[in-house]
Amino acid sequence: MTNTGNVTLDDHRHRPMFTTVDCPVTTLAPTESTTCTASYTLTQADVDAGQVDNTATVTGTDPNATDVTDTDTESVSIPGPAITLVKTA
């Protein structure tokens, strides 16, 4: 995430589809960025659909205690089952 505004944002919170999120930085000055990592376990419904929509939302608080929020989504394809057989006689 990147603070594209002109004030420092504190206490950023995430509302992703993931159960755990690890962010090394909790305060972002203007133009400052950080990379967060998360994990998600695919469900059978995800596999059956052949894709999962990876959506994350972040909210930070400006100096006036106003929340600033952004959301981003990426669709990720899940390869279907496959099998190969080579027979020689």
Side-chain angles (χ1 to χ4, degrees):
M1 75 186 92
T2 301
N3 179 352
T4 58
N6 61 0
V7 297
T8 297
L9 298 175
D10 291 312
D11 187 34
H12 56 74
R13 301 171 303 283
H14 308 85
R15 285 176 281 199
M17 56 190 278
F18 311 106
T19 54
T20 60
V21 177
D22 179 35
C23 288
V25 176
T26 59
T27 299
L28 292 176
T31 72
E32 188 174 32
S33 296
T34 189
T35 299
C36 302
T37 58
S39 61
Y40 172 77
T41 301
L42 293 174
T43 66
Q44 186 61 51
D46 296 332
V47 175
D48 292 346
Q51 76 172 33
V52 63
D53 292 328
N54 176 346
T55 300
T57 300
V58 64
T59 301
T61 305
D62 74 9
N64 296 318
T66 302
D67 284 345
V68 179
T69 300
D70 193 27
T71 299
D72 195 20
T73 298
E74 187 78 26
S75 291
V76 180
S77 296
I78 301 168
I83 190 168
T84 301
L85 173 65
V86 177
K87 184 176 189 267
T88 58

